[in-house]
Amino acid sequence: MAMNQPVWVPDREQMENTRLYRFMQKLGYSDYDLFYEQSIRNIAWLWDEAVKDLGLEWIQPYRQVLDLSDGIAWARWFKDGKINISANCLDRFVADPASRHRLALIWEGDDGEVKKYTYRDLWSEVNRFARGLTQLGVKAGDRVAIYLPMIAENVIAMLAVARIGAIFTPCFSGYGAEAVATRIQHCEAKILITADGFLRRGKVIAMKEEADRAADLSPTVEKVIVVRRLGRRDSTWNPDRDVEWDSLITNMKTLTPHVTDAADPFMIIYTSGTTGKPKGTVHVHSGFPVKAAFDAAYGFDVGPGDILFWVTDMGWMMGPWMVFGSLLTGSTMLLFEGTPDYPNPDRIWEVVAKYGVSHLGISPTLIRALMKYGDAWISRHDLSSLRVFGSTGEPWNPDPWNWLFEKVGKKRVPIFNYSGGTEISGGILGNHFLKPLVPCGFTGPLPGMDADVLDEEGNPVRGRVGELVLRQPWVGMTSGFWQDAKRYEATYWSRWPNIWVHGDWVKIDEDGYWFITGRSDDTLKIAGKRLGPAEMESVLVEHPAVSEAATVGVPDPEKGEVPICFVVLKPGSDQGTSLNEELKQFVSDRMGKAFKPIHVYIIDELPKTRNGKILRRVIKAAYLGENPGDLSSLENVRAIEAIQKLAMKKS
């Protein structure tokens, strides 16, 4: 199957029933390309129309959509507008008899326990917890760290903090104390919200003890609020610092949402830095939630009656994205505490069928992991409710993409690639119902995202790999890094004047489809040619013995840089001494002699984050004996140790 041949084409009825098409029609457009061109020709017009179409309610109307008086890097949206995003998620739906009893949140625990909340239920819980926070002295502008598993209280806490005008920072549930403390210390949070523990693969994960250590390391923490998720009697308790969640939700009176400015921060979400401390991206009430809702509504076609389930964690961007993308569109989110293949390999398909999930968000790594169990587990379940697969986090290889499309989706459910980032509040590139899909690719930039691909001299390039950039600001653009304006400007705005350099290598093919080949700091330059690691990795996983692969470039005195590959084999594959050479030749035969790897190492696992991203920079640093930088998001440290041992043997 050629990479650029469409494998899914929307029919006319599908197209015309989408929110995107109706939005375009309302604005006088029936052709997507013409609409997109107008959306980047007049970005203020687009976002003005979008917040109206999404039905957002303003406490005080804005008088200017876009203010560039401080320069493009510090664009301000909806100037002088007053809005509280928590009220927009809940209050406007609760005020409407037609929507107040609609499901807002479904939660399923690792052990199968289920809780459901209507919009009114969630509104009530948020009000009660918000009032409890104010009783603890939390005020507008204060920072609150949320270190919780994927439970309903995580969502309630986020919305309650935003309701009172405070700022939350979500922390990945798998972090250890030091990683949590780094974030607390950096934003000087005064409250830490945690749980006594949670379940993962049927085992108790003690969370409170890690939270205590994080609080001990963080002088600004005044109180630790504890959710009794498991009712653990053996968990630690500090009567001077700890407060029961349940003791804070006794007051049934509603709390009027704080009047926040459109540009007031509501969330600081940290991204891992290549070196040094994580970056605290600042997001405002009229930013991240609006972009998340826009992409959910007009990209994924999420709306009332839909159930959005993204396999993620609230510490990653897609967690908050799911919260605001679902609630601001009047749909339902599904929160899942468990893992997709426990207690059986079909757990994720069981959840989809049980609740009638319409939108399922996954990563390529997750699909590669599920493929190894075979197709029989899928056929046990009725997956007819699925309308869209969402995919983010990393580039695809063809085999898992085709498996998901053909075996799971039966060639009926489109896979919408979605790529942007924490600093974007959603996607730069995506797919939608108005264009055909090609395997592993994107139809192009999303509306309002003025994206381009530039060569090293800053000239637009087609047909070969270049740097992904944005020429104009967008709603959702991070309002800098918390207390570090210089680092923000240096990270994104320093290469070319007034151009955001995102850090992805992208190729636009002759048919206009876009493909991400990897992070630009992961890119190899071999014999003068640039190569995204995903290209070589896709070749390696075509070999019948290989399950996963990672490619990095290491310095070479003659060629400048040479490729080194690490592969994980499929169960039962022969690890004979000749396999390494066979794999090197396999790449050479398909990519050319110039790209033949110097080494192919067979290892048990690749270093990844919990949401499935392969950390190539960490692999490279470990192999070269260098400082790997921030490892707080790493799921499996032992994988790095194995690579370090390989490197020691080599030297």
Side-chain angles (χ1 to χ4, degrees), residues 498-633:
N498 296 323
I499 288 181
W500 171 287
V501 178
H502 191 60
D504 279 341
W505 280 115
V506 170
K507 180 180 179 180
I508 307 174
D509 75 5
E510 64 274 11
D511 296 313
Y513 291 106
W514 296 49
F515 296 87
I516 291 181
T517 63
R519 295 292 294 170
S520 55
D521 52 7
D522 289 337
T523 300
L524 295 73
K525 192 168 186 179
I526 300 164
K529 299 181 181 70
R530 290 202 175 277
L531 176 75
E535 294 180 61
M536 191 170 288
E537 291 160 6
S538 291
V539 170
L540 282 163
V541 297
E542 287 174 10
H543 190 281
V546 176
S547 169
E548 293 184 293
T551 298
V552 299
V554 300
D556 180 80
E558 291 182 13
K559 296 185 178 180
E561 196 170 31
V562 291
I564 304 284
C565 303
F566 298 86
V567 299
V568 177
L569 300 184
K570 293 176 181 175
S573 296
D574 182 18
Q575 290 197 40
T577 53
S578 63
L579 183 57
N580 305 66
E581 290 302 318
E582 182 183 328
L583 290 172
K584 285 160 64 174
Q585 193 59 44
F586 188 79
V587 173
S588 177
D589 290 345
R590 284 153 181 77
M591 297 190 72
K593 291 180 181 178
F595 296 103
K596 185 176 183 179
I598 300 301
H599 296 290
V600 176
Y601 293 105
I602 297 168
I603 57 178
D604 292 332
E605 56 184 340
L606 297 172
K608 297 175 188 172
T609 62
R610 175 77 65 87
N611 63 336
K613 281 189 180 180
I614 296 169
L615 295 178
R616 294 179 188 84
R617 65 167 177 84
V618 172
I619 294 173
K620 183 173 180 176
Y623 185 77
L624 295 176
E626 297 172 349
N627 177 7
D630 175 33
L631 296 179
S632 58
S633 62

Side-chain angles (χ1 to χ4, degrees), residues 105 107-109 115 117 148-157 194-199 207 227-229 245 314 335-337:
L105 190 156
W107 172 76
E108 180 166 305
K115 291 181 181 177
Y117 298 77
L148 285 170
M150 289 294 274
I151 56 177
E153 287 84 353
N154 208 322
V155 176
I156 293 164
T194 192
D196 58 355
F198 60 98
L199 298 176
M207 197 173 211
V227 178
R228 293 292 192 181
R229 158 71 183 103
W245 173 285
M314 287 301 166
L335 242 61
F336 181 51
E337 179 190 43

Side-chain angles (χ1 to χ4, degrees), residues 297-604:
Y298 307 116
F300 290 94
D301 198 43
V302 175
D306 289 321
I307 297 178
L308 173 62
F309 170 29
W310 212 286
V311 183
T312 185
D313 188 276
M314 287 301 166
W316 309 134
M317 185 215 91
M318 291 309 298
W321 184 95
M322 176 171 61
V323 172
F324 295 103
S326 63
L327 295 180
L328 288 175
T329 58
S331 61
T332 307
M333 79 182 86
L334 194 154
L335 242 61
F336 181 51
E337 179 190 43
T339 46
D341 59 352
Y342 176 86
N344 295 305
D346 61 342
R347 180 68 181 275
I348 190 170
W349 315 125
E350 179 189 305
V351 170
V352 167
K354 181 177 179 180
Y355 300 105
V357 170
S358 56
H359 293 70
L360 175 63
I362 48 79
S363 69
T365 291
L366 171 58
I367 297 306
R368 284 193 291 267
L370 295 174
M371 278 175 68
K372 67 187 180 188
Y373 298 117
D375 307 342
W377 290 99
I378 305 164
S379 59
R380 299 180 177 201
H381 303 283
D382 177 5
L383 304 181
S384 59
S385 62
L386 281 172
R387 285 205 296 123
V388 179
F389 292 117
S391 166
T392 193
E394 59 179 322
W396 280 96
N397 308 117
D399 281 356
W401 194 99
N402 289 323
W403 184 83
L404 179 65
F405 181 66
E406 294 171 5
K407 303 297 184 182
V408 185
K410 308 299 183 188
K411 299 184 181 180
R412 175 186 66 83
V413 183
I415 302 172
F416 285 2
N417 275 359
Y418 185 57
S419 185
T422 306
E423 308 89 327
I424 305 295
S425 300
I428 299 173
L429 305 178
N431 300 107
H432 48 75
F433 277 100
L434 305 190
K435 292 271 191 175
L437 292 188
V438 295
C440 310
F442 301 82
T443 54
L446 293 166
M449 306 303 286
D450 190 1
D452 204 348
V453 180
L454 305 184
D455 64 17
E456 289 177 302
E457 285 73 47
N459 301 311
V461 59
R462 299 292 181 269
R464 55 190 175 91
V465 170
E467 190 86 56
L468 177 64
V469 302
L470 287 156
R471 297 186 180 277
Q472 296 187 75
W474 63 96
V475 166
M477 187 173 85
T478 180
S479 297
F481 298 154
W482 185 254
Q483 297 180 334
D484 200 346
K486 287 184 179 178
R487 188 181 182 193
Y488 162 66
E489 290 179 347
T491 301
Y492 296 109
W493 301 99
S494 59
R495 186 163 178 188
W496 293 299
N498 296 323
I499 288 181
W500 171 287
V501 178
H502 191 60
D504 279 341
W505 280 115
V506 170
K507 180 180 179 180
I508 307 174
D509 75 5
E510 64 274 11
D511 296 313
Y513 291 106
W514 296 49
F515 296 87
I516 291 181
T517 63
R519 295 292 294 170
S520 55
D521 52 7
D522 289 337
T523 300
L524 295 73
K525 192 168 186 179
I526 300 164
K529 299 181 181 70
R530 290 202 175 277
L531 176 75
E535 294 180 61
M536 191 170 288
E537 291 160 6
S538 291
V539 170
L540 282 163
V541 297
E542 287 174 10
H543 190 281
V546 176
S547 169
E548 293 184 293
T551 298
V552 299
V554 300
D556 180 80
E558 291 182 13
K559 296 185 178 180
E561 196 170 31
V562 291
I564 304 284
C565 303
F566 298 86
V567 299
V568 177
L569 300 184
K570 293 176 181 175
S573 296
D574 182 18
Q575 290 197 40
T577 53
S578 63
L579 183 57
N580 305 66
E581 290 302 318
E582 182 183 328
L583 290 172
K584 285 160 64 174
Q585 193 59 44
F586 188 79
V587 173
S588 177
D589 290 345
R590 284 153 181 77
M591 297 190 72
K593 291 180 181 178
F595 296 103
K596 185 176 183 179
I598 300 301
H599 296 290
V600 176
Y601 293 105
I602 297 168
I603 57 178
D604 292 332

Side-chain angles (χ1 to χ4, degrees), residues 146-147 170-183 198 205-207 210-211 213-214 269-272 278 313 315-316 609-610 630-635:
I146 303 175
Y147 176 48
C171 300
F172 169 47
S173 61
Y175 279 153
E178 288 76 13
V180 177
T182 298
R183 288 150 178 79
F198 60 98
I205 307 298
M207 197 173 211
E210 290 297 317
R213 290 205 298 124
I269 187 165
Y270 285 85
T271 66
S272 297
D313 188 276
W316 309 134
T609 62
R610 175 77 65 87
D630 175 33
L631 296 179
S632 58
S633 62
L634 187 64
E635 164 82 348

Side-chain angles (χ1 to χ4, degrees), residues 114-176:
V114 177
K115 291 181 181 177
K116 296 182 179 181
Y117 298 77
T118 65
Y119 272 80
R120 196 183 186 286
D121 294 335
L122 192 57
W123 171 82
S124 176
E125 293 296 318
V126 167
N127 268 285
R128 292 162 71 184
F129 188 61
R131 190 168 286 282
L133 287 172
T134 62
Q135 289 168 357
L136 287 182
V138 181
K139 307 182 300 297
D142 286 343
R143 274 79 65 203
V144 176
I146 303 175
Y147 176 48
L148 285 170
M150 289 294 274
I151 56 177
E153 287 84 353
N154 208 322
V155 176
I156 293 164
M158 290 163 58
L159 295 170
V161 171
R163 191 173 189 85
I164 63 177
I167 304 166
F168 67 86
T169 186
C171 300
F172 169 47
S173 61
Y175 279 153

